[in-house]
mmCIF file of all heavy atoms in Angstrom:
data_model
loop_
_atom_site.group_PDB
_atom_site.id
_atom_site.type_symbol
_atom_site.label_atom_id
_atom_site.label_comp_id
_atom_site.label_asym_id
_atom_site.label_seq_id
_atom_site.Cartn_x
_atom_site.Cartn_y
_atom_site.Cartn_z
ATOM 1 N N VAL A 367 116.173 92.778 79.971
ATOM 2 C CA VAL A 367 117.518 93.368 79.881
ATOM 3 C C VAL A 367 117.501 94.818 80.416
ATOM 4 O O VAL A 367 116.610 95.617 80.063
ATOM 5 C CB VAL A 367 118.006 93.355 78.410
ATOM 6 C CG1 VAL A 367 119.279 94.166 78.240
ATOM 7 C CG2 VAL A 367 118.209 91.921 77.959
ATOM 8 N N VAL A 368 118.474 95.119 81.260
ATOM 9 C CA VAL A 368 118.659 96.524 81.703
ATOM 10 C C VAL A 368 119.886 97.060 80.992
ATOM 11 O O VAL A 368 120.957 96.406 81.045
ATOM 12 C CB VAL A 368 118.832 96.589 83.238
ATOM 13 C CG1 VAL A 368 119.154 98.041 83.659
ATOM 14 C CG2 VAL A 368 117.606 96.093 83.961
ATOM 15 N N ILE A 369 119.767 98.213 80.367
ATOM 16 C CA ILE A 369 120.919 98.870 79.768
ATOM 17 C C ILE A 369 121.388 99.915 80.752
ATOM 18 O O ILE A 369 120.636 100.877 81.079
ATOM 19 C CB ILE A 369 120.593 99.496 78.409
ATOM 20 C CG1 ILE A 369 119.880 98.485 77.476
ATOM 21 C CG2 ILE A 369 121.858 100.056 77.727
ATOM 22 C CD1 ILE A 369 120.707 97.340 76.972
ATOM 23 N N ALA A 370 122.607 99.758 81.263
ATOM 24 C CA ALA A 370 123.088 100.508 82.408
ATOM 25 C C ALA A 370 123.383 101.969 82.076
ATOM 26 O O ALA A 370 123.683 102.325 80.945
ATOM 27 C CB ALA A 370 124.315 99.822 82.963
ATOM 28 N N PRO A 371 123.403 102.826 83.106
ATOM 29 C CA PRO A 371 123.879 104.196 82.969
ATOM 30 C C PRO A 371 125.389 104.198 82.742
ATOM 31 O O PRO A 371 126.017 103.150 82.882
ATOM 32 C CB PRO A 371 123.577 104.818 84.311
ATOM 33 C CG PRO A 371 122.825 103.831 85.111
ATOM 34 C CD PRO A 371 122.990 102.509 84.475
ATOM 35 N N GLY A 372 125.930 105.365 82.415
ATOM 36 C CA GLY A 372 127.379 105.413 82.267
ATOM 37 C C GLY A 372 127.841 106.683 81.597
ATOM 38 O O GLY A 372 127.030 107.543 81.218
ATOM 39 N N PHE A 373 129.132 106.761 81.390
ATOM 40 C CA PHE A 373 129.738 107.923 80.795
ATOM 41 C C PHE A 373 130.803 107.483 79.788
ATOM 42 O O PHE A 373 131.468 106.482 80.022
ATOM 43 C CB PHE A 373 130.420 108.788 81.886
ATOM 44 C CG PHE A 373 129.415 109.369 82.851
ATOM 45 C CD1 PHE A 373 128.967 108.609 83.919
ATOM 46 C CD2 PHE A 373 128.916 110.630 82.645
ATOM 47 C CE1 PHE A 373 128.034 109.130 84.791
ATOM 48 C CE2 PHE A 373 127.963 111.136 83.528
ATOM 49 C CZ PHE A 373 127.537 110.376 84.604
ATOM 50 N N GLY A 374 130.897 108.192 78.707
ATOM 51 C CA GLY A 374 131.985 107.961 77.769
ATOM 52 C C GLY A 374 131.701 106.879 76.744
ATOM 53 O O GLY A 374 130.755 106.112 76.831
ATOM 54 N N GLN A 375 132.634 106.786 75.815
ATOM 55 C CA GLN A 375 132.484 105.931 74.649
ATOM 56 C C GLN A 375 132.610 104.445 74.955
ATOM 57 O O GLN A 375 131.933 103.596 74.364
ATOM 58 C CB GLN A 375 133.554 106.348 73.604
ATOM 59 C CG GLN A 375 133.707 105.465 72.402
ATOM 60 C CD GLN A 375 132.454 105.441 71.491
ATOM 61 O OE1 GLN A 375 131.719 106.449 71.360
ATOM 62 N NE2 GLN A 375 132.207 104.289 70.896
ATOM 63 N N ARG A 376 133.493 104.114 75.927
ATOM 64 C CA ARG A 376 133.819 102.708 76.135
ATOM 65 C C ARG A 376 132.559 101.863 76.410
ATOM 66 O O ARG A 376 131.805 102.176 77.324
ATOM 67 C CB ARG A 376 134.803 102.554 77.296
ATOM 68 C CG ARG A 376 135.314 101.154 77.518
ATOM 69 C CD ARG A 376 136.533 101.111 78.418
ATOM 70 N NE ARG A 376 136.212 101.435 79.799
ATOM 71 C CZ ARG A 376 135.796 100.518 80.677
ATOM 72 N NH1 ARG A 376 135.625 99.284 80.354
ATOM 73 N NH2 ARG A 376 135.538 100.901 81.951
ATOM 74 N N GLY A 377 132.377 100.822 75.626
ATOM 75 C CA GLY A 377 131.261 99.877 75.836
ATOM 76 C C GLY A 377 129.947 100.335 75.242
ATOM 77 O O GLY A 377 128.951 99.578 75.304
ATOM 78 N N VAL A 378 129.895 101.510 74.639
ATOM 79 C CA VAL A 378 128.625 102.018 74.132
ATOM 80 C C VAL A 378 128.128 101.228 72.915
ATOM 81 O O VAL A 378 126.945 100.926 72.808
ATOM 82 C CB VAL A 378 128.733 103.533 73.836
ATOM 83 C CG1 VAL A 378 127.728 103.945 72.799
ATOM 84 C CG2 VAL A 378 128.527 104.325 75.101
ATOM 85 N N GLU A 379 129.054 100.887 72.048
ATOM 86 C CA GLU A 379 128.628 100.157 70.833
ATOM 87 C C GLU A 379 127.951 98.850 71.198
ATOM 88 O O GLU A 379 126.990 98.434 70.563
ATOM 89 C CB GLU A 379 129.798 99.947 69.853
ATOM 90 C CG GLU A 379 130.333 101.259 69.235
ATOM 91 C CD GLU A 379 129.305 102.033 68.358
ATOM 92 O OE1 GLU A 379 128.449 101.372 67.721
ATOM 93 O OE2 GLU A 379 129.339 103.277 68.365
ATOM 94 N N GLY A 380 128.444 98.207 72.238
ATOM 95 C CA GLY A 380 127.833 96.942 72.691
ATOM 96 C C GLY A 380 126.405 97.180 73.207
ATOM 97 O O GLY A 380 125.567 96.296 73.100
ATOM 98 N N LYS A 381 126.191 98.327 73.782
ATOM 99 C CA LYS A 381 124.832 98.626 74.226
ATOM 100 C C LYS A 381 123.872 98.767 73.036
ATOM 101 O O LYS A 381 122.722 98.336 73.109
ATOM 102 C CB LYS A 381 124.821 99.946 75.065
ATOM 103 C CG LYS A 381 125.440 99.758 76.426
ATOM 104 C CD LYS A 381 125.392 100.994 77.316
ATOM 105 C CE LYS A 381 125.904 100.669 78.711
ATOM 106 N NZ LYS A 381 126.118 101.838 79.561
ATOM 107 N N PHE A 382 124.373 99.310 71.939
ATOM 108 C CA PHE A 382 123.535 99.401 70.713
ATOM 109 C C PHE A 382 123.240 98.002 70.188
ATOM 110 O O PHE A 382 122.143 97.727 69.739
ATOM 111 C CB PHE A 382 124.235 100.226 69.621
ATOM 112 C CG PHE A 382 124.525 101.661 70.028
ATOM 113 C CD1 PHE A 382 125.721 102.264 69.684
ATOM 114 C CD2 PHE A 382 123.595 102.388 70.785
ATOM 115 C CE1 PHE A 382 126.000 103.576 70.081
ATOM 116 C CE2 PHE A 382 123.876 103.682 71.166
ATOM 117 C CZ PHE A 382 125.091 104.287 70.823
ATOM 118 N N VAL A 383 124.257 97.146 70.230
ATOM 119 C CA VAL A 383 124.079 95.774 69.759
ATOM 120 C C VAL A 383 122.950 95.089 70.556
ATOM 121 O O VAL A 383 122.025 94.499 70.019
ATOM 122 C CB VAL A 383 125.405 94.966 69.886
ATOM 123 C CG1 VAL A 383 125.168 93.467 69.667
ATOM 124 C CG2 VAL A 383 126.450 95.535 68.918
ATOM 125 N N ALA A 384 123.077 95.227 71.902
ATOM 126 C CA ALA A 384 122.057 94.620 72.802
ATOM 127 C C ALA A 384 120.695 95.187 72.509
ATOM 128 O O ALA A 384 119.677 94.461 72.430
ATOM 129 C CB ALA A 384 122.448 94.852 74.260
ATOM 130 N N LEU A 385 120.622 96.508 72.343
ATOM 131 C CA LEU A 385 119.348 97.177 72.134
ATOM 132 C C LEU A 385 118.686 96.777 70.830
ATOM 133 O O LEU A 385 117.469 96.529 70.785
ATOM 134 C CB LEU A 385 119.520 98.695 72.177
ATOM 135 C CG LEU A 385 119.612 99.222 73.612
ATOM 136 C CD1 LEU A 385 120.191 100.641 73.612
ATOM 137 C CD2 LEU A 385 118.238 99.208 74.276
ATOM 138 N N LYS A 386 119.467 96.642 69.785
ATOM 139 C CA LYS A 386 118.913 96.239 68.521
ATOM 140 C C LYS A 386 118.319 94.827 68.625
ATOM 141 O O LYS A 386 117.208 94.537 68.197
ATOM 142 C CB LYS A 386 119.999 96.253 67.433
ATOM 143 C CG LYS A 386 119.477 95.933 66.039
ATOM 144 C CD LYS A 386 120.593 96.073 65.001
ATOM 145 C CE LYS A 386 120.125 95.519 63.680
ATOM 146 N NZ LYS A 386 121.266 95.251 62.804
ATOM 147 N N TYR A 387 119.073 93.964 69.321
ATOM 148 C CA TYR A 387 118.662 92.586 69.473
ATOM 149 C C TYR A 387 117.386 92.529 70.307
ATOM 150 O O TYR A 387 116.411 91.825 69.958
ATOM 151 C CB TYR A 387 119.768 91.790 70.167
ATOM 152 C CG TYR A 387 119.421 90.307 70.331
ATOM 153 C CD1 TYR A 387 119.602 89.427 69.276
ATOM 154 C CD2 TYR A 387 118.926 89.826 71.526
ATOM 155 C CE1 TYR A 387 119.268 88.063 69.408
ATOM 156 C CE2 TYR A 387 118.586 88.496 71.682
ATOM 157 C CZ TYR A 387 118.760 87.614 70.649
ATOM 158 O OH TYR A 387 118.424 86.305 70.778
ATOM 159 N N CYS A 388 117.338 93.305 71.402
ATOM 160 C CA CYS A 388 116.176 93.260 72.274
ATOM 161 C C CYS A 388 114.953 93.874 71.601
ATOM 162 O O CYS A 388 113.829 93.364 71.712
ATOM 163 C CB CYS A 388 116.437 94.068 73.527
ATOM 164 S SG CYS A 388 117.623 93.273 74.628
ATOM 165 N N ARG A 389 115.160 94.951 70.845
ATOM 166 C CA ARG A 389 114.026 95.617 70.177
ATOM 167 C C ARG A 389 113.470 94.687 69.087
ATOM 168 O O ARG A 389 112.262 94.484 69.033
ATOM 169 C CB ARG A 389 114.511 96.952 69.555
ATOM 170 C CG ARG A 389 113.397 97.772 68.914
ATOM 171 C CD ARG A 389 113.912 99.109 68.453
ATOM 172 N NE ARG A 389 115.090 99.023 67.581
ATOM 173 C CZ ARG A 389 115.075 98.647 66.300
ATOM 174 N NH1 ARG A 389 113.923 98.317 65.741
ATOM 175 N NH2 ARG A 389 116.178 98.544 65.615
ATOM 176 N N THR A 390 114.337 94.130 68.275
ATOM 177 C CA THR A 390 113.836 93.299 67.150
ATOM 178 C C THR A 390 113.278 91.972 67.646
ATOM 179 O O THR A 390 112.395 91.390 67.021
ATOM 180 C CB THR A 390 114.900 93.094 66.073
ATOM 181 O OG1 THR A 390 116.089 92.652 66.728
ATOM 182 C CG2 THR A 390 115.223 94.396 65.335
ATOM 183 N N ASN A 391 113.746 91.501 68.788
ATOM 184 C CA ASN A 391 113.221 90.215 69.329
ATOM 185 C C ASN A 391 112.156 90.443 70.392
ATOM 186 O O ASN A 391 111.744 89.471 71.039
ATOM 187 C CB ASN A 391 114.380 89.372 69.885
ATOM 188 C CG ASN A 391 115.215 88.825 68.746
ATOM 189 O OD1 ASN A 391 114.833 87.869 68.062
ATOM 190 N ND2 ASN A 391 116.367 89.431 68.519
ATOM 191 N N ASP A 392 111.809 91.675 70.615
ATOM 192 C CA ASP A 392 110.752 92.053 71.596
ATOM 193 C C ASP A 392 111.029 91.448 72.975
ATOM 194 O O ASP A 392 110.167 90.808 73.568
ATOM 195 C CB ASP A 392 109.378 91.635 71.090
ATOM 196 C CG ASP A 392 108.268 92.441 71.767
ATOM 197 O OD1 ASP A 392 108.609 93.330 72.585
ATOM 198 O OD2 ASP A 392 107.091 92.163 71.495
ATOM 199 N N ILE A 393 112.229 91.708 73.490
ATOM 200 C CA ILE A 393 112.592 91.290 74.852
ATOM 201 C C ILE A 393 112.366 92.496 75.762
ATOM 202 O O ILE A 393 112.764 93.619 75.426
ATOM 203 C CB ILE A 393 114.087 90.846 74.908
ATOM 204 C CG1 ILE A 393 114.297 89.679 73.952
ATOM 205 C CG2 ILE A 393 114.491 90.505 76.332
ATOM 206 C CD1 ILE A 393 115.734 89.284 73.771
ATOM 207 N N PRO A 394 111.713 92.330 76.904
ATOM 208 C CA PRO A 394 111.542 93.466 77.829
ATOM 209 C C PRO A 394 112.857 94.165 78.126
ATOM 210 O O PRO A 394 113.847 93.503 78.525
ATOM 211 C CB PRO A 394 110.954 92.833 79.095
ATOM 212 C CG PRO A 394 110.278 91.589 78.612
ATOM 213 C CD PRO A 394 111.106 91.096 77.458
ATOM 214 N N THR A 395 112.877 95.484 77.918
ATOM 215 C CA THR A 395 114.140 96.226 78.001
ATOM 216 C C THR A 395 113.927 97.522 78.748
ATOM 217 O O THR A 395 112.964 98.238 78.513
ATOM 218 C CB THR A 395 114.668 96.501 76.591
ATOM 219 O OG1 THR A 395 114.735 95.286 75.881
ATOM 220 C CG2 THR A 395 116.074 97.105 76.656
ATOM 221 N N PHE A 396 114.879 97.825 79.609
ATOM 222 C CA PHE A 396 114.811 98.985 80.484
ATOM 223 C C PHE A 396 116.119 99.749 80.304
ATOM 224 O O PHE A 396 117.191 99.232 80.687
ATOM 225 C CB PHE A 396 114.643 98.470 81.922
ATOM 226 C CG PHE A 396 114.222 99.504 82.921
ATOM 227 C CD1 PHE A 396 113.929 99.101 84.247
ATOM 228 C CD2 PHE A 396 114.068 100.844 82.619
ATOM 229 C CE1 PHE A 396 113.539 100.018 85.199
ATOM 230 C CE2 PHE A 396 113.667 101.773 83.571
ATOM 231 C CZ PHE A 396 113.401 101.356 84.887
#
Side-chain angles (χ1 to χ4, degrees):
V367 171
V368 175
I369 310 290
F373 295 84
Q375 171 65 33
R376 185 165 71 85
V378 156
E379 292 299 326
K381 288 183 174 169
F382 300 140
V383 169
L385 280 163
K386 183 176 171 198
Y387 182 82
C388 291
R389 185 175 52 76
T390 50
N391 288 284
D392 201 3
I393 300 170
T395 307
F396 194 175

